[in-house]
Amino acid sequence: MTVDYHLGEPLPIQVNQDTIHLSLGQFSTCSIALKGATVYSYTQNTIERLFTSSLSSLSTSDPTPIRGGVPLCWPIFGPPNKDNELYNKLKQHGFARSSTWQFVKEESECQGENGCHAVFKLEPTPSITSLFPLPFSLKYLVSLSPSGLSLSLTVSSPSSAIAPLPFQALLHSYFRLPDSINPTLVKVTPLENLRYTDKILGGAEETERRKEVMVDGPGGEVDRVYLRASDRLKLSWGEEGAGGGGVEMKKKNLCDVVLWNPGPEKGKGMKDLEEGGAARFVCLEPGQTSQWVSLEPGEEWTGSIDLSFT
Ligand code: BG6
């Protein structure tokens, strides 16, 4: 790991017991919990751009997934299919988000103010194997650059495997809204003409007709999986240049995108969500959900996102 910093500045890579912190001087910072390799904070010019509930525990000794940041859903998205023997012991969204990942110090690096990256790995442990018998290796690359944050998940099936490795994968990104903006003021583009499944309506399939999708479902709740979404998506609020802002997402190899917010009522019932928390974020979650990836022994797959914030 190259260490390049000036006295008085935060260390470019700081390793704590349960968390890793990256920084590009005062310009941007990113914090990752070893639990789930969950990126739970990203700041630009000291402004936090991800939402993490203050009721979440970052400790690896508490296996509850972190409510916020970017939890990794793997090897399934949503609840397991009870008829499928390989997956039916898993919890909703799989085990990657609650497992303790290894920080790979030798592969993590900072190059001054130009960029910094940290690498994390997850391989089967006895407790994972008791729930999910297939061999796998996950590698997660978190990169901080002057233009934003990039997250890249690589799944490998070892060449010694004797069966294919089928999975879904999703980067469950919680984007923080400014105090003056609530989810109903947020627009997502371009989703027009996409097919989507509406999880609030029991998975009914519909076609999106709006040019700009507002996050304003019944009772404030929105839970939709947009199929085969564009690889460039935008979440925005307000007028550009007049207090407005947003997030631009470029995704690769993640065909769908989920738009989710529980709304105030359901939010109240979520015990790990801080009071009023549902009003502070919108989740835009790129993932491979409608189409499973299947790796033959020796193959690998990478899905990634580049995020830039205005
Ligand atoms: C979204 C799902 O991805 O995650 C929602 O589409 C779900 O249905 C939400 O409620 C949160 O899931 P969890 O398991 O973190 O409470």
Side-chain angles (χ1 to χ4, degrees), residues 40-170:
Y40 66 91
S41 165
Y42 170 75
T43 68
Q44 232 179 30
N45 297 321
T46 72
I47 299 173
E48 180 60 68
R49 304 309 302 256
L50 297 177
F51 170 82
T52 296
S53 168
S54 55
L55 302 183
S56 282
S57 161
L58 303 176
S59 167
T60 50
S61 57
D62 173 352
T64 318
I66 294 170
R67 171 70 63 204
V70 188
L72 291 171
C73 302
W74 195 87
I76 53 167
F77 161 70
N81 176 348
K82 291 291 171 204
D83 300 330
N84 186 324
E85 261 183 42
L86 270 182
Y87 303 92
N88 60 12
K89 293 202 194 83
L90 299 180
K91 291 194 178 147
Q92 156 132 314
H93 295 338
F95 54 80
R97 64 176 177 161
S98 51
S99 299
T100 301
W101 290 54
Q102 302 302 316
F103 169 55
V104 190
K105 195 177 165 193
E106 307 70 43
E107 294 181 35
S108 302
E109 197 183 11
C110 269
Q111 292 147 354
E113 303 217 326
N114 298 326
C116 234
H117 65 260
V119 173
F120 301 85
K121 276 193 180 156
L122 182 68
E123 291 189 337
T125 59
S127 78
I128 292 177
T129 306
S130 69
L131 301 172
F132 184 69
L134 298 180
F136 66 86
S137 172
L138 302 186
K139 181 170 172 175
Y140 192 43
L141 174 67
V142 176
S143 312
L144 200 54
S145 74
S147 58
L149 177 68
S150 299
L151 306 174
S152 173
L153 175 68
T154 297
V155 182
S156 313
S157 170
S159 40
S160 56
I162 52 167
L165 172 63
F167 59 86
Q168 294 167 300
L170 177 124

Side-chain angles (χ1 to χ4, degrees), residues 67 77 92-93 97 170 172 174 199 223 225 258 260 270 285:
R67 171 70 63 204
F77 161 70
Q92 156 132 314
H93 295 338
R97 64 176 177 161
L170 177 124
H172 198 309
Y174 288 71
K199 294 178 80 173
D223 193 357
V225 184
V258 178
W260 178 68
M270 294 168 62
E285 315 159 24

Side-chain angles (χ1 to χ4, degrees), residues 217-286:
E221 187 184 4
V222 175
D223 193 357
R224 295 175 169 189
V225 184
Y226 286 92
L227 309 176
R228 294 164 208 239
S230 161
D231 280 343
R232 277 173 177 257
L233 294 160
K234 196 168 169 185
L235 193 144
S236 58
W237 51 83
E239 290 302 316
E240 235 176 284
V247 186
E248 287 194 23
M249 178 187 284
K250 274 195 225 164
K251 63 179 177 67
K252 256 192 223 150
N253 264 349
L254 296 163
C255 61
D256 307 320
V257 74
V258 178
L259 183 61
W260 178 68
N261 182 282
E265 275 315 303
K266 251 200 179 158
K268 256 189 221 158
M270 294 168 62
K271 62 178 192 308
D272 56 355
L273 188 57
E274 65 194 35
E275 206 184 325
R280 303 195 179 109
F281 69 86
V282 166
C283 281
L284 188 64
E285 315 159 24

Side-chain angles (χ1 to χ4, degrees), residues 1-6 9-15 20-25 28-30 32 103-119 141-146:
M1 189 194 313
T2 317
V3 177
D4 175 13
Y5 67 100
H6 306 285
E9 281 194 354
L11 284 172
I13 300 185
Q14 192 188 321
V15 182
I20 307 294
H21 305 269
L22 303 180
S23 93
L24 295 187
S28 63
T29 65
C30 173
I32 306 112
F103 169 55
V104 190
K105 195 177 165 193
E106 307 70 43
E107 294 181 35
S108 302
E109 197 183 11
C110 269
Q111 292 147 354
E113 303 217 326
N114 298 326
C116 234
H117 65 260
V119 173
L141 174 67
V142 176
S143 312
L144 200 54
S145 74

